[in-house]
């Protein structure tokens, strides 16, 4: 069953799986960080397998000049101990249904160049590689 994390305890439950994707995250700051992102439109969905969180997806609905209304996936992770059991596919299907229901024309995400298994997963779900993502670390005095 896939649900949106709304209560702090739901967000906390997602931490262990999210940290597998984002190892820099710290337990004590996780809920506050997610809440700050939620204030800017971020949503956190999770799929349970029994009592455990098996898969998480952080996403936002957005509107851009290039894509119109779209769903952008910030984070998508399945617990590494139970991958290849359909949890990621179920989450992608749920996100796709949500995007259609919300009137989105596209789904977007960025994926690190080293994540070859993830790329295969996305390509197998009819996603295409359509851009390069550039970034610059800014120094603050």
């Amino acid at each position: 069953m896939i649900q949106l994390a709304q209560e702090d305890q739901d967000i906390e439950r997602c931490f262990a799986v999210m940290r597998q994707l984002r190892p820099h995250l710290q337990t004590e700051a996780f809920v506050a960080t997610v809440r700050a992102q939620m204030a800017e439109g971020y949503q956190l969905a999770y799929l349970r397998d029994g009592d455990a969180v098996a898969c998480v997806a952080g996403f936002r609905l957005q509107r851009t000049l290039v894509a119109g209304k779209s769903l952008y996936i910030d984070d998508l992770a399945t617990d590494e101990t139970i991958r290849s059991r359909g949890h990621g596919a179920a989450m992608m299907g749920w996100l796709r249904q949500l995007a259609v229901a919300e009137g989105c024309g596209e789904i977007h995400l960025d994926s690190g160049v080293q994540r070859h298994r993830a790329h295969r997963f996305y390509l197998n779900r009819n996603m295409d590689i359509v851009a390069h993502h550039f970034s610059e670390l800014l120094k603050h005095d």
Side-chain angles (χ1 to χ4, degrees), residues 27 35 52 79 105 125:
T27 307
R35 287 281 180 212
D79 185 333
R125 274 143 196 88

Side-chain angles (χ1 to χ4, degrees), residues 13-33:
R13 273 191 219 133
C14 295
F15 177 76
V17 176
M18 187 66 79
R19 186 149 191 221
Q20 292 173 26
L21 177 65
R22 310 281 185 228
H24 66 279
L25 295 174
Q26 298 298 314
T27 307
E28 56 279 351
F30 184 65
V31 171
T33 301

Side-chain angles (χ1 to χ4, degrees), residues 61-72:
L61 298 171
Q62 62 183 15
R63 191 175 305 276
T64 61
L65 293 174
V66 68
K69 189 171 184 184
S70 63
L71 186 145
Y72 182 83

Side-chain angles (χ1 to χ4, degrees), residues 5-14 30-32 35 38:
Q6 303 203 357
E7 303 298 325
D8 286 356
Q9 69 182 21
D10 297 333
I11 296 169
E12 287 172 2
R13 273 191 219 133
C14 295
F30 184 65
V31 171
R35 287 281 180 212
M38 286 177 161

Side-chain angles (χ1 to χ4, degrees), residues 55 73 76 78 83-96 107 109 117-129:
C55 184
I73 302 169
L76 177 63
T78 298
R83 286 193 182 138
S84 299
R85 296 188 187 174
H87 300 307
M91 182 64 78
M92 285 296 292
W94 185 86
L95 290 165
R96 184 173 286 111
I107 295 175
L109 61 84
R117 289 185 65 200
H119 302 163
R120 198 167 36 252
F121 174 81
Y122 301 134
L123 291 167
N124 285 335
R125 274 143 196 88
N126 298 318
M127 297 188 89
D128 294 314
I129 300 170

